[in-house]
Amino acid sequence: MSKKPVRVAVTGAAGQIGYALLFRIASGEMLGKDQPVILQLLEIPDEKAQNALKGVIMELEDCAFPLLAGIEAHSDPMTAFKDTDYALLVGARPRGPGMERADLLAANAQIFTAQGKALNAVASRNVRVLVVGNPANTNAYIAMKSAPDLPAKNFTAMLRLDHNRAASQIASKMGVAVGDIEKLAVWGNHSPTMYADYRFATVNGKSVKDTINDHEWNANTFLPTVGKRGAAIIAARGLSSAASAANAAIDHMRDWALGTNGKWVTMGIPSNGEYGIPKEVMFGYPVTCEGGEYKIVEGLPIDAFSQECINKTLAELEGEKDGVKHLL
Ligand code: NAD
Ligand code: LMR
């Protein structure tokens, strides 16, 4: 094994997404089959959570993954994020009975302020951060604002599940292989307001929009299906999506670290004003990745329907941002 191990921190490590995620990171699916990793796992100090984490660690050990160069259990972000190269912030406060959205935002603002500060203090100066815990875009924004010494561009939110869901719906509508779909974009917030946009998408070079040619399906079936997929899974399973969320997190980090070979993917990233989105808004954009950096696909024409969808998801994000302003 010649490569030096990299440090990967995962929060909420004993939760459902953690259970679907850690084994794949340790087997090399995220950073490559030649890249050893040290897992730095964070859970809340609660005894039950720490015990559950111990059990997960026993199972990781029992897999005897050749690439797993170390496993650490933590209850404090200040130790969990020490020198970390990649941080997957999965743990978040779920919405409880009677909790309003504002309560959820406030509870998570505390978590992501503390974790952003800890990353700022102890992580690698090049740490790449993916926020999965909901509300993912706003939590990522909070972490970014709490880490002024780290590059803002290194804080990202997970829109990849929406991207993958959109690709799968299109593949099924067209009867094509999902892997053949290119140039799909998802704009905005990880929420039902996201705008999955297949105007530029192709399958084996053929335009998806021209082939489907059905605005009614786009507006009244496709967008609501993708937007409400999380709720549909909760209704069916009694639990929120976990394996597909973990898979999307792997896809996001792998593509960011190892590149997309020109292929478009979707990442939630801080805006620099692209497409008229105000600076610092954590917004889903189509990007390509190369050499460990992402680049927004620029110059795409935005028609009236798309602008309306983008405005709606932006308004929601700005509302969330306003809701946590006093906490930052
Ligand atoms: P879960 O409840 O099974 O696990 C979450 C874990 O996080 C728990 O073990 C909990 O103890 C831990 N935790 C809570 N606060 C923490 C903190 N401050 N530090 C460290 N750990 C903490 O939940 P899950 O199903 O794994 O989902 C995790 C989050 O991911 C939720 O917010 C969920 O809504 C979100 N999610 C996002 C997407 C997306 O596409 N962005 C998709 C699916 C789920
Ligand atoms: C999802 O999209 O599956 C998650 O964000 C869970 C949810 O609450 O929708």
Side-chain angles (χ1 to χ4, degrees):
M1 225 186 269
S2 54
K3 277 192 170 175
K4 188 171 166 270
V6 294
R7 296 185 161 271
V8 180
V10 179
T11 75
Q16 347 169 52
I17 294 177
Y19 198 69
L21 179 64
L22 298 175
F23 300 85
R24 296 185 61 188
I25 299 175
S27 72
E29 284 183 60
M30 188 170 90
L31 296 173
K33 296 283 181 187
D34 59 346
Q35 177 59 66
V37 294
I38 297 170
L39 289 175
Q40 301 173 292
L41 307 179
L42 179 67
E43 258 298 340
I44 50 173
D46 168 79
E47 194 184 333
K48 207 165 149 226
Q50 288 294 322
N51 268 335
L53 181 56
K54 279 190 192 129
V56 174
I57 291 177
M58 285 188 243
E59 286 206 68
L60 281 163
E61 289 166 351
D62 295 350
C63 292
F65 288 120
L67 290 171
L68 188 51
I71 317 175
E72 303 169 4
H74 295 275
S75 58
D76 179 351
M78 286 295 281
T79 56
F81 296 152
K82 181 89 183 88
D83 297 330
T84 202
D85 301 293
Y86 297 91
L88 291 88
L89 309 188
V90 178
R93 173 85 185 271
R95 193 183 336 203
M99 251 175 120
E100 298 299 331
R101 196 174 172 83
D103 301 328
L104 184 70
L105 277 169
N108 280 303
Q110 275 178 13
I111 295 176
F112 287 85
T113 306
Q115 294 189 355
K117 284 184 180 163
L119 286 164
N120 194 54
V122 301
S124 153
R125 297 302 84 186
N126 292 317
V127 63
R128 288 181 166 74
V129 183
L130 167 64
V131 176
V132 175
N134 279 322
N137 296 53
T138 295
N139 289 341
Y141 170 76
I142 294 167
M144 173 186 83
K145 293 301 281 179
S146 307
D149 303 330
L150 296 173
K153 68 176 172 55
N154 287 13
F155 286 79
T156 66
M158 193 162 93
L159 267 291
R160 185 59 175 265
L161 184 52
D162 310 87
H163 182 107
N164 290 349
R165 286 168 172 167
S168 166
Q169 292 300 318
I170 291 167
S172 140
K173 168 85 173 165
M174 292 178 67
V176 298
V178 73
D180 289 338
I181 297 172
E182 306 240 20
K183 298 192 171 171
L184 187 60
V186 181
W187 306 89
N189 200 5
H190 170 66
S191 92
T193 67
M194 61 86 232
Y195 173 44
D197 180 1
Y198 60 71
R199 290 174 304 137
F200 314 104
T202 59
V203 174
N204 299 321
K206 226 170 120 194
S207 159
V208 166
K209 180 170 184 272
D210 293 350
T211 311
I212 293 179
N213 193 19
D214 186 348
H215 180 71
E216 197 277 331
W217 179 79
N218 182 26
N220 299 327
T221 302
F222 172 69
L223 288 174
T225 302
V226 178
K228 294 184 196 151
R229 189 69 160 186
I233 288 165
I234 292 171
R237 233 169 68 84
L239 286 168
S240 66
S241 65
S244 55
N247 180 67
I250 296 269
D251 284 349
H252 177 118
M253 282 306 214
R254 183 202 57 227
D255 286 347
W256 192 1
L258 305 181
T260 62
N261 280 323
K263 206 176 155 166
W264 297 14
V265 293
T266 299
M267 289 171 72
I269 55 179
S271 169
N272 269 313
E274 295 88 348
Y275 293 99
I277 306 304
K279 273 186 185 237
E280 291 197 328
V281 172
M282 199 57 75
F283 206 76
Y285 280 108
V287 301
T288 55
C289 303
E290 195 183 342
E293 302 291 339
Y294 59 77
K295 200 165 135 227
I296 293 180
V297 178
E298 294 208 62
L300 300 172
I302 304 296
D303 61 17
F305 175 76
S306 303
Q307 192 63 58
E308 200 183 302
C309 294
I310 287 173
N311 291 349
K312 188 167 144 206
T313 193
L314 173 61
E316 182 182 49
L317 271 173
E318 293 205 294
E320 289 183 16
K321 213 167 132 215
D322 270 359
V324 297
K325 205 167 50 192
H326 62 291
L327 301 165
L328 287 174

